[in-house]
Amino acid sequence: MLNYTEYRHKSATEWVTFVHGAGGSSSIWFKQIRSFSTKFNVLILDLRGHGSSKLALKDTFNDKYTFDAITQDIVDVIDYLNIKQSHFAGISLGTILIRNLAEKHPKRVKSMIMGGAIMQLNLKSQILMKLGVLCKSVVPYLLLYKLFAFIIMPRKNHKKSRLIFVNEAKKLYQKEFIRWFKLTAEINPLLHFFRTNDIKIPTFYIMGEEDHLFLPAIKKVVTSHIKSSLLIIKNCGHVVNIEQAETFNTESIQFIERQTLA
């Protein structure tokens, strides 16, 4: 089972489950734990091969992961903790996993907070992924990761986010990075399905105005998905929960509270 940490509130019944992105770990939520745990039960976890989640024996010789398998890892944890329903908060690739979980188990997802959400890969993103596929076996993964981090978060005010994610990525092995990178083979049809199918679960997108790769697609999605809303944070890039933690926390908590009153 994935490594996880739970923070149980004395009286709250609502759960918020945090899902990090590729190359990160549960530690990227360090600016959220205190704020959220004063109001809700909080669950943070490390995705397979990340943080303190060791590779399962069954995956030792498995060179390819699937979104469904990684999503099931999360479901296994909430099943084990007997969490019937949770609000979910994700960042970057974590938002894809949350949306996939909502498709597979809609009754388990009360609402979704999608930070730096990925709903479409533009031309630049697709070129970047193809470059990674060509180079993944010959170029040290950390060099590739640093390049990707710089392209996604290029500005001076994104530097702290870049450093945090690169330092977390150092804990991965080349083989593990390649397993995760191979997920890109199934990402385009999955994202197309998400864009064209309104799941009708309350969804709050929180995007930085400087998230040049992913913001345009989110603007389009919220116009057609009836229970979706969008907050664009000024002077902020892709990793909104780190760059603008106070705004992320305040707006997300208010969103959850509105769902509990609905």
Side-chain angles (χ1 to χ4, degrees):
M1 187 179 292
L2 300 180
N3 176 70
Y4 68 88
T5 304
E6 53 181 324
Y7 301 86
R8 289 187 180 261
H9 192 277
K10 289 180 180 178
S11 59
T13 58
E14 300 287 328
W15 279 90
V16 183
T17 301
F18 289 88
V19 183
H20 66 80
S25 77
S26 57
S27 66
I28 66 123
W29 302 110
F30 68 98
K31 291 188 175 184
Q32 279 66 59
I33 292 170
R34 178 177 293 180
S35 295
F36 281 79
S37 61
T38 61
K39 293 178 175 290
F40 314 109
N41 298 299
V42 169
L43 172 64
I44 60 173
L45 45 79
D46 293 321
L47 298 173
R48 61 169 69 179
H50 291 67
S52 298
S53 286
K54 305 303 179 187
L55 189 65
L57 185 61
K58 65 182 174 65
D59 291 316
T60 304
F61 302 104
N62 180 13
D63 67 348
K64 185 181 178 183
Y65 292 159
T66 66
F67 279 106
D68 284 352
I70 296 169
T71 300
Q72 186 58 45
D73 289 345
I74 302 170
V75 175
D76 289 344
V77 175
I78 61 176
D79 281 347
Y80 179 76
L81 295 173
N82 199 30
I83 300 172
K84 301 299 183 187
Q85 193 177 48
S86 177
H87 304 272
F88 284 84
I91 194 76
S92 195
L93 183 134
T95 64
I96 301 177
L97 297 174
I98 290 171
R99 177 59 194 269
N100 196 46
L101 195 157
E103 292 288 344
K104 305 294 180 182
H105 307 276
K107 292 183 179 178
R108 309 298 294 274
V109 181
K110 196 160 189 180
S111 72
M112 299 182 286
I113 298 163
M114 312 287 247
I118 301 173
M119 275 288 161
Q120 186 172 18
L121 299 183
N122 63 13
L123 181 60
K124 188 185 289 187
S125 304
Q126 292 187 49
I127 292 171
L128 184 63
M129 292 302 175
K130 287 178 181 177
L131 175 66
V133 169
L134 291 172
C135 301
K136 68 180 185 300
S137 298
V138 292
V139 176
Y141 82 92
L142 200 56
L143 188 62
L144 268 181
Y145 196 88
K146 286 179 178 178
L147 173 64
F148 295 163
F150 184 78
I151 291 172
I152 294 170
M153 301 171 271
R155 300 197 182 192
K156 191 177 292 186
N157 57 307
H158 307 163
K159 184 177 180 180
K160 185 177 181 180
S161 299
R162 285 200 306 271
L163 289 175
I164 288 172
F165 271 77
V166 169
N167 285 335
E168 285 298 320
K170 287 177 181 176
K171 300 172 186 176
L172 290 177
Y173 296 103
Q174 179 91 4
K175 209 168 187 179
E176 186 66 18
F177 176 82
I178 291 173
R179 286 187 181 105
W180 278 81
F181 204 88
K182 285 182 177 179
L183 278 172
T184 58
E186 61 175 282
I187 200 170
N188 277 328
L190 190 64
L191 294 182
H192 180 265
F193 176 79
F194 291 164
R195 291 194 307 274
T196 54
N197 288 270
D198 185 357
I199 198 170
K200 298 183 175 67
I201 291 174
T203 306
F204 185 32
Y205 292 99
I206 307 180
M207 306 292 291
E209 68 170 351
E210 298 164 356
D211 195 351
H212 61 107
L213 290 184
F214 306 118
L215 177 58
I218 301 302
K219 287 179 177 178
K220 292 180 182 178
V221 165
V222 295
T223 63
S224 58
H225 291 194
I226 59 174
K227 289 196 173 182
S228 294
S229 56
L230 169 62
L231 171 68
I232 300 175
I233 305 177
K234 293 185 178 297
N235 304 313
C236 185
H238 183 59
V239 192
V240 288
N241 68 302
I242 292 176
E243 288 183 43
Q244 296 286 348
E246 188 174 337
T247 301
F248 179 91
N249 295 349
T250 301
E251 296 288 343
S252 298
I253 289 170
Q254 289 177 358
F255 168 75
I256 293 172
E257 289 176 335
R258 288 195 295 273
Q259 308 318 307
T260 61
L261 294 172

